[in-house]
Amino acid sequence: MHTEACSAVDEVNLLSERPEEPNLHYVEAALTGRLELPRLREAVGAVLEAHPEARARIATTSPMRLWTQWAIPGIAETDPVQDRMAANRGELTEAREEIFATPLPVRTGPLFRLHVLRQPRVTNLILAVHAARFDAYSALGLLRAIASAYTGGKALAPPHDQAPLLRGSSRPPRTQGPPLRIEPGRTAQDADRPTNGYHFRHVAMDMRDLSNAISYYADATVEDALLAEVARAVYEWNASKGKGWGQIRVVMPVDRRSVLDESLKMGNHAAYGTVALDLADIAANPLSAVSAQTKWLRRNAVELDAMARGFAEPWAPFGIRRTLKRPVDRRTASRVPSTMLANLGEIDQLWFGAVRTGALWYAPPAPLPMGLAVGAVQYNHRMHLTLRYRRAMFTTPPFWGRG
């Protein structure tokens, strides 16, 4: 076993951990057949052997530690594959809800769990990985590496297909004043429903719908169209609640891995930027404003803002910094963007041996004070979206059930 220091991003994610709001990424694959569990466990073991950093756990758990250390054991300390039956769609939904609501312990490695939900004819795989050890791209890459090993290939994921830096105008986001806050949408009928943790919604749409949206702007991308529509949706939601004013800001991750890497590097290597839109942009067509900002952010996005980096520094023991961070988060919530869009781009066909993946979903974490996080994956000529939202902010269906 050897140890390595946490990065500043890792440390902030550990400081943000709350049992009622798991700080996890989720990747779900809907397979069109049954898997061989022993073979799947062998594939996971091969990936853990090829990626030692995936076996990591917290080395020291004392709240008086100044800086957190990762311990990399020689072998995985727990079996990350968890198998269960789901006899029908209702049981599948209940199992998914339970997985989304369960935090992942950081004291035993590896910091991910692969849930195998077996149905009579299909299998759903849900990979839950901790945000302190993985970013969005390595979360998806971990599942792709497992699929490759299961099929008999290398236990490695192909490099992420990064979006090109398109030509055209670019400009930094112009932030002024507090951002628009997402107004709660709970109703009187939801008084007895749970408010802690997260709920989620899966939405699928034909890629032609987005292609038509960006056809008028040659410099725009599918990600730009998604950012514009998420911002418009937030504005229209707030307007329906009588609070449709303020600047709209949407956070987006940017992959900072080298394009020369032969395989995807696991870990937290993403930077984060914020697209800011005024109401004048929303009233017109926001796509050109979004496109100019994303070009700039792909070059200039940073891993952490100044306040988060300040908490990541070892100026006080971990327990004290964590205790102080919660009231600071509450006091600064009105100035922090409440929405995130994580677009992982277009993914090639994913096979587990002879079993094809019919659909692929990704859900990003939504740490306090974020109210809504949208994960997007292009797969099988469709855009698969996962809307992950705070139970205290939004009601249960039918609000999000309408699409």
Side-chain angles (χ1 to χ4, degrees), residues 137 140 144 158-164 207 210-211 221-223 226 342-350 360 376-384:
Y137 307 99
L140 177 59
R144 298 176 77 183
H160 174 242
D161 186 13
Q162 300 178 2
M207 280 302 300
L210 280 173
S211 299
T221 65
V222 169
E223 183 175 52
L226 283 172
N343 175 37
L344 301 190
E346 186 173 1
I347 308 301
D348 296 332
Q349 283 286 338
L350 193 63
L360 193 65
V377 175
Q378 300 173 46
Y379 188 76
N380 271 350
H381 307 292
R382 295 176 68 83
M383 176 66 69
H384 293 92

Side-chain angles (χ1 to χ4, degrees), residues 29 33 63 80 92 114 121 132 135 137 160 175 188 199 208 223 241 280 285-286 296 316 323 364 370 388 392:
L92 174 63
L114 181 62
R121 295 185 179 180
D135 60 20
Y137 307 99
H160 174 242
T175 56
H199 198 60
R208 288 174 295 186
E223 183 175 52
K241 303 295 177 185
N285 190 324
W296 188 89
T323 301
M370 213 164 273
R388 186 179 183 190

Side-chain angles (χ1 to χ4, degrees), residues 56-116:
R57 61 167 173 80
I58 297 298
T60 54
T61 60
S62 169
M64 299 308 294
R65 65 184 186 271
L66 284 178
W67 192 260
T68 305
Q69 295 279 332
W70 291 118
I72 313 295
I75 59 174
E77 297 175 328
T78 58
D79 180 9
V81 180
Q82 300 187 359
D83 172 46
R84 63 192 293 181
M85 283 292 298
N88 50 50
R89 187 176 295 273
E91 290 189 9
L92 174 63
T93 300
E94 291 177 1
R96 190 185 283 127
E97 287 270 9
E98 179 184 334
I99 292 168
F100 267 63
T102 304
L104 192 63
V106 296
R107 299 186 180 188
T108 56
L111 296 189
F112 71 87
R113 296 293 183 270
L114 181 62
H115 300 271
V116 184

Side-chain angles (χ1 to χ4, degrees), residues 101-402:
T102 304
L104 192 63
V106 296
R107 299 186 180 188
T108 56
L111 296 189
F112 71 87
R113 296 293 183 270
L114 181 62
H115 300 271
V116 184
L117 305 180
R118 292 181 288 114
Q119 301 174 73
R121 295 185 179 180
V122 299
T123 303
N124 281 62
L125 294 180
I126 301 181
L127 178 67
V129 304
H130 204 291
R133 193 58 182 165
F134 301 88
D135 60 20
Y137 307 99
S138 56
L140 177 59
L142 184 61
L143 183 64
R144 298 176 77 183
I146 294 171
S148 176
Y150 185 93
T151 310
K154 295 182 178 179
L156 302 171
H160 174 242
D161 186 13
Q162 300 178 2
L165 296 176
L166 300 176
R167 296 179 180 178
S169 61
S170 67
R171 66 171 177 85
R174 294 191 292 266
T175 56
Q176 51 186 14
L180 180 113
R181 308 303 306 162
I182 297 180
E183 287 298 310
R186 295 181 65 83
T187 61
Q189 292 88 337
D190 296 306
D192 297 329
R193 295 183 182 274
T195 58
N196 288 338
Y198 298 102
H199 198 60
F200 63 93
R201 234 24 194 167
H202 285 171
V203 181
M205 60 186 296
D206 195 295
M207 280 302 300
R208 288 174 295 186
D209 296 334
L210 280 173
S211 299
N212 293 334
I214 66 173
S215 60
Y216 298 104
Y217 294 90
D219 292 334
T221 65
V222 169
E223 183 175 52
D224 296 336
L226 283 172
L227 285 163
E229 293 309 315
V230 166
R232 194 198 306 275
V234 171
Y235 167 72
E236 292 179 353
W237 172 269
N238 272 40
S240 71
K241 303 295 177 185
K243 296 290 183 69
W245 60 82
Q247 192 179 56
I248 301 173
R249 301 177 194 168
V250 183
V251 178
M252 56 174 281
V254 178
D255 191 9
R256 283 298 183 85
R257 291 168 176 82
S258 172
V259 295
L260 301 178
D261 290 341
E262 295 183 358
S263 60
L264 185 80
K265 185 178 181 182
M266 298 292 174
N268 273 314
H269 301 286
Y272 294 87
T274 301
V275 171
L277 295 172
D278 296 324
L279 297 187
D281 297 322
I282 296 294
N285 190 324
L287 195 53
S288 57
V290 170
S291 179
Q293 292 181 54
T294 55
K295 290 184 183 69
W296 188 89
L297 289 172
R298 289 187 186 110
R299 301 184 182 95
N300 300 280
V302 296
E303 291 181 334
L304 294 172
D305 58 32
M307 186 176 69
R309 186 167 291 278
F311 274 101
E313 297 296 328
W315 48 267
F318 180 90
I320 294 177
R321 285 182 283 135
R322 183 173 184 176
T323 301
L324 293 175
K325 190 174 185 299
R326 293 193 177 190
V328 170
D329 284 343
R330 288 193 293 267
R331 292 293 297 272
T332 60
S334 62
R335 297 192 294 274
V336 176
S338 58
T339 311
M340 172 186 283
L341 170 72
N343 175 37
L344 301 190
E346 186 173 1
I347 308 301
D348 296 332
Q349 283 286 338
L350 193 63
W351 289 84
F352 284 79
V355 180
R356 183 177 65 89
T357 300
L360 193 65
W361 310 88
Y362 164 70
L368 185 77
M370 213 164 273
L372 172 67
V374 182
V377 175
Q378 300 173 46
Y379 188 76
N380 271 350
H381 307 292
R382 295 176 68 83
M383 176 66 69
H384 293 92
L385 303 173
T386 302
L387 284 70
R388 186 179 183 190
Y389 53 92
R390 196 170 297 280
R391 289 181 185 271
M393 292 291 294
F394 295 107
T395 184
T396 50
F399 277 92
W400 285 118
R402 290 198 291 265

